[in-house]
Amino acid sequence: MEMQTLDTESTMREREIYRVTIVGSIVNFLLLVFKFFAGIAGHSAAMLADAVHSLSDFITDIIVILFVRLSAKPEDEGHDYGHGKYETLATAIIGIFLVSVGFGIFWNGASSIYRFFQGGILQEPGRIALMGAIASIIFKEILYQYTAFKGRKLNSQAVIANAWHHRSDAFSSIGTALGIGGAILLGDQWRILDPAAAVIVSFFIMKVAVGLLIPCVDELLEKSLPSEVEEKILETILSFPGVTSPHHLRTRRIGSYCAIEVHVRMDGQISLEEGHKTATKVENKLKELFGKGTLINIHVEPKK
């Protein structure tokens, strides 16, 4: 019965992740088409760079869809702890994409600035490019708020990572809008604002990418849960009468859920059945706190 409940919740979670990701992918596709058109028609290198950023968003949406299906698969013979780390891998891929896109925007902007100071002429961007940047800011911020809310509700690292990808695109569009607007309104000598803004925004994008990649590396290296979480686990265990001396606590994250292993001591005179019931109560309480998909292994020892 409990396994059926877990399977149902897992299926519902997977559907919700698909829904929010598909909404994002549709918006990204429409935006990238419009921004490529605006960049070409408006002769704006910054707008084209912004369009490439939206293209990366669209690609990462596809990655999330593929990897969430894999991560939702139950335990099998070759994966005793499930497939949760596929979601972690998806988050890492999104972070790597962000680093690549951020560096690409930096490189293109820096190259344009160098050419400008060498006497090169930068083409004035058109107003349609400015319209594209403003539209991107509005729609991507709305998309970020929606996706981040869903990601927190579903406890999905990959969805939250994708939300930040949406916001990084909005940041990029803010810089693009400032650069294009300055180049249009301030005259020829200020056209350098377009690539300069792109360079500044690229650092924000790469900062977000690093913030996403660090937790992924920690998880892949089996880093323990934060100390305050482990303290909460110990407090919960000790709240049950007859359960003492929790030790050998081991914790780690596996995608959107976690694994907890711990040794506890109980009165050696109680029956095996009673010890088992108490350990099950502890397990259920921990699952109530950390999610029903939490993997828990409680080893019971007699008091010394």
Side-chain angles (χ1 to χ4, degrees), residues 7-299:
D7 289 342
T8 301
E9 289 183 354
S10 178
T11 301
M12 291 177 62
R13 178 176 181 273
E14 183 181 348
R15 287 177 180 172
E16 282 294 314
I17 291 175
Y18 278 136
R19 187 176 291 113
V20 67
T21 305
I22 288 172
V23 169
S25 65
I26 291 172
V27 174
N28 283 333
F29 180 74
L30 295 175
L31 275 176
L32 74 88
V33 170
F34 178 62
K35 289 201 281 190
F36 270 118
F37 170 77
I40 295 171
H43 308 292
S44 172
M47 190 72 260
L48 286 174
D50 215 21
V52 171
H53 194 189
S54 289
L55 177 61
S56 74
D57 268 353
F58 182 71
I59 293 172
T60 54
D61 286 340
I62 303 303
I63 291 172
V64 169
I65 290 173
L66 293 176
F67 278 84
V68 164
R69 179 175 290 275
L70 290 172
S71 68
K73 290 172 61 179
E75 298 89 346
D76 56 31
E77 185 177 347
H79 300 83
D80 295 331
Y81 288 91
H83 299 75
K85 286 196 176 180
Y86 280 104
E87 192 168 333
T88 306
L89 181 59
T91 305
I93 292 174
I94 292 172
I96 292 169
F97 261 111
L98 278 172
V99 170
S100 301
V101 170
F103 183 76
I105 292 174
F106 165 79
W107 184 263
N108 290 334
S111 298
S112 296
I113 293 171
Y114 176 77
R115 288 195 300 271
F116 179 81
F117 282 114
Q118 293 298 312
I121 298 175
L122 300 178
Q123 192 170 15
E124 179 183 351
R127 293 184 183 275
I128 190 172
L130 181 60
M131 291 172 57
I134 293 173
S136 179
I137 295 168
I138 295 171
F139 283 102
K140 295 300 289 191
E141 180 60 23
I142 292 173
L143 198 56
Y144 163 76
Q145 295 293 342
Y146 168 71
T147 308
F149 171 76
K150 287 292 187 178
R152 289 190 294 268
K153 183 178 179 181
L154 297 168
N155 190 28
S156 172
Q157 295 180 31
V159 173
I160 293 174
N162 215 19
W164 275 105
H165 204 167
H166 295 318
R167 174 160 274 187
S168 72
D169 206 1
F171 289 160
S172 177
S173 295
I174 290 173
T176 301
L178 291 174
I180 295 173
I184 293 174
L185 298 175
L186 299 178
D188 295 350
Q189 68 274 22
W190 291 101
R191 290 181 186 176
I192 194 175
L193 287 176
D194 186 356
V199 167
I200 293 172
V201 171
S202 70
F203 286 103
F204 286 100
I205 295 172
M206 288 187 280
K207 180 177 182 293
V208 170
V210 171
L212 294 174
L213 286 171
I214 289 176
C216 291
V217 173
D218 287 342
E219 182 176 335
L220 293 173
L221 294 177
E222 304 289 350
K223 184 176 181 180
S224 302
L225 297 178
S227 57
E228 59 270 19
V229 175
E230 292 195 337
E231 285 295 328
K232 181 65 176 178
I233 293 170
L234 295 175
E235 288 176 10
T236 301
I237 293 171
L238 290 172
S239 68
F240 287 83
V243 181
T244 62
S245 307
H247 56 286
H248 293 323
L249 175 64
R250 294 183 178 89
T251 61
R252 58 192 173 110
R253 288 206 66 84
I254 306 176
S256 60
Y257 53 91
C258 58
I260 301 171
E261 299 179 17
V262 64
H263 292 205
V264 298
R265 292 197 172 100
M266 297 184 195
D267 186 351
Q269 301 303 313
I270 65 174
S271 67
L272 176 62
E273 182 179 1
E274 186 177 349
H276 172 70
K277 285 182 178 179
T278 302
T280 300
K281 289 178 182 178
V282 175
E283 180 179 336
N284 290 336
K285 183 62 177 179
L286 290 173
K287 285 186 176 182
E288 181 184 324
L289 292 173
F290 300 102
K292 291 185 177 180
T294 304
L295 298 175
I296 302 173
N297 182 14
I298 301 176
H299 176 74

